[in-house]
Amino acid sequence: MLKKSILFTTVIVFIALASFVSLSVYTLYSKKQLSVDPKLKEISGIEFDKKKRLWAINDGGDDPKLYRLGEDGAIKKEILVTNAKNIDWEDMTQNKFGHFFLGDFGNNKNDRKWLTIYKIENPIDIKTETTEAEIIKFTYPEMDGTPITPNKRNFDLEAFVEYKRHLYLFTKNRTEPFDGITNVYKVGDHAANFDAQLIDSFKTCTTLEKLCWITSAALSPDRTKLVLLDSTSIWLFENFKGDKFFSGDVSRIDLGIVTQKEAITFYDDNTLIFTDEEFKGLVGGNAYVIKLNEAQKTVIRQAPKTAVNK
């Protein structure tokens, strides 16, 4: 009788686990829009130009190029940034004029003192296959040459947005022990050398670092919504005050199974596109669509009604 009870319990657990996995897979792949060209197997940043055409960049090791994707996910155009290097390109954003910013600021070992952002003209205006960039340099004042202890390793970076002539940088936390905090730093949007200014922080989760790392960010065209991406979730921030992005309402959108999700952007004020990297031909390599007004959200925090975006 005991053996039958153990067998029955095992079967129930197995069915429950299989159902959970199936639901997680469906949660992600029901949002799939297209497969991305294999040349972008390490896609790390995406952005729409003013004609609603999707551009992408690869992670470090590729040429310093932008790739325009067609509606089928195939590469339609490549633009080489002639005065740039792709040491560790990690995200893209743009300002209201359509100028693109390319973040060469990956810092896995927390040992790059000076990091780079390339600012290029609106891709609509680039008629050839090359362009030159305005070069923005920045450093963290906290990296003063003294050894960085494991509990302070929060100077890796894979996410940023432009807001009111400044760039806001969201760190990828590598602290030991992992505390789940992403710090927000602020620099200018023009060619200069900046000391990044720490202005805020937010704790995502501490379950497992690879599930909680912030890998991309995006601000809605009307500048009222911020999203941060990790491998399982989209964190949505609304009704914030000024550039205090974490001062308003916070909610979380579950994205199902774990894949290496590295890039997110807004198509319009209600529509998000995000991508994941291809993994051994088994998972990933896709672009997905989410409508915010249809997405199931878990409320993390509701701010006082006095906090409104200005």
Side-chain angles (χ1 to χ4, degrees):
M1 194 70 178
L2 180 59
K3 289 183 178 180
K4 287 184 178 180
S5 177
I6 293 174
L7 178 60
F8 178 76
T9 301
T10 302
V11 170
I12 293 299
V13 170
F14 177 79
I15 292 173
L17 181 60
S19 299
F20 174 77
V21 171
S22 297
L23 179 60
S24 294
V25 171
Y26 175 78
T27 297
L28 179 63
Y29 279 86
S30 63
K31 301 173 179 62
K32 179 180 173 180
Q33 181 76 6
L34 55 87
S35 294
V36 175
D37 193 295
K39 192 170 182 179
L40 284 158
K41 66 179 182 179
E42 292 191 8
I43 188 169
S44 62
I46 56 175
E47 196 70 28
F48 285 97
D49 65 24
K50 297 302 182 182
K51 292 184 178 179
K52 296 299 184 183
R53 299 176 302 188
L54 184 63
W55 294 82
I57 56 173
N58 259 332
D59 208 335
D62 190 17
D63 293 328
K65 285 185 175 182
L66 285 80
Y67 302 89
R68 181 165 63 81
L69 301 180
E71 294 182 358
D72 59 354
I75 293 173
K76 301 300 182 183
K77 183 176 181 178
E78 300 181 12
I79 295 177
L80 176 71
V81 186
T82 56
N83 62 335
K85 295 181 181 179
N86 185 348
I87 297 173
D88 199 355
W89 286 15
E90 290 291 0
D91 204 9
M92 287 201 297
T93 191
Q94 67 175 299
N95 61 18
K96 65 180 180 180
F97 304 107
H99 301 130
F100 275 26
F101 298 85
L102 319 174
D104 187 359
F105 42 44
N107 195 12
N108 293 5
K109 296 181 180 179
N110 282 239
D111 59 357
R112 293 180 70 186
K113 181 171 175 59
W114 284 96
L115 301 163
T116 304
I117 296 169
Y118 298 105
K119 180 181 181 180
I120 65 169
E121 61 188 312
N122 189 328
I124 291 174
D125 298 324
I126 302 175
K127 306 305 181 185
T128 65
E129 295 180 350
T130 63
T131 191
E132 286 194 0
E134 185 177 329
I135 298 176
I136 301 165
K137 293 280 189 178
F138 70 92
T139 189
Y140 301 100
E142 297 91 338
M143 296 183 70
D144 57 5
T146 58
I148 301 173
T149 57
N151 67 322
K152 299 292 185 180
R153 290 175 187 159
N154 204 354
F155 302 105
D156 192 8
L157 186 61
E158 293 193 4
F160 73 143
V161 298
E162 187 277 343
Y163 181 70
K164 294 187 176 180
R165 302 300 304 271
H166 289 88
L167 300 171
Y168 293 83
L169 320 168
F170 301 86
T171 62
K172 180 179 181 181
N173 188 306
R174 292 184 180 272
T175 58
E176 297 178 16
F178 180 69
D179 61 21
I181 293 173
T182 181
N183 287 326
V184 187
Y185 286 87
K186 177 181 178 180
V187 299
D189 73 338
H190 55 277
N193 293 342
F194 294 98
D195 283 335
Q197 177 188 359
L198 178 62
I199 64 167
D200 211 344
S201 62
F202 177 77
K203 179 178 285 190
T204 54
C205 59
T206 57
T207 51
L208 184 66
E209 58 187 23
K210 288 180 173 58
L211 303 183
C212 308
W213 278 338
I214 297 303
T215 56
S216 188
L219 204 58
S220 60
D222 66 4
R223 297 316 202 227
T224 65
K225 303 180 187 72
L226 170 76
V227 291
L228 301 180
L229 179 70
D230 65 33
S231 61
T232 63
S233 312
I234 293 170
W235 298 84
L236 174 63
F237 303 88
E238 301 174 280
N239 299 317
F240 46 81
K241 185 176 181 180
D243 64 358
K244 296 297 182 182
F245 301 115
F246 306 142
S247 65
D249 301 332
V250 184
S251 54
R252 175 183 172 273
I253 301 171
D254 178 28
L255 299 180
I257 61 169
V258 177
T259 60
Q260 195 164 341
K261 302 174 183 71
E262 294 277 341
I264 192 167
T265 192
F266 278 88
Y267 178 78
D268 57 35
D269 293 325
N270 185 56
T271 309
L272 286 166
I273 309 293
F274 66 94
T275 61
D276 53 11
E277 294 187 5
E278 179 268 333
F279 179 72
K280 296 183 178 180
L282 300 174
V283 295
N286 303 311
Y288 309 86
V289 178
I290 284 184
K291 297 282 189 181
L292 288 177
N293 64 337
E294 299 173 359
Q296 183 175 350
K297 307 178 190 73
T298 300
V299 176
I300 305 300
R301 186 187 70 222
Q302 286 189 313
K305 296 301 182 182
T306 53
V308 294
N309 188 57
K310 294 182 179 180

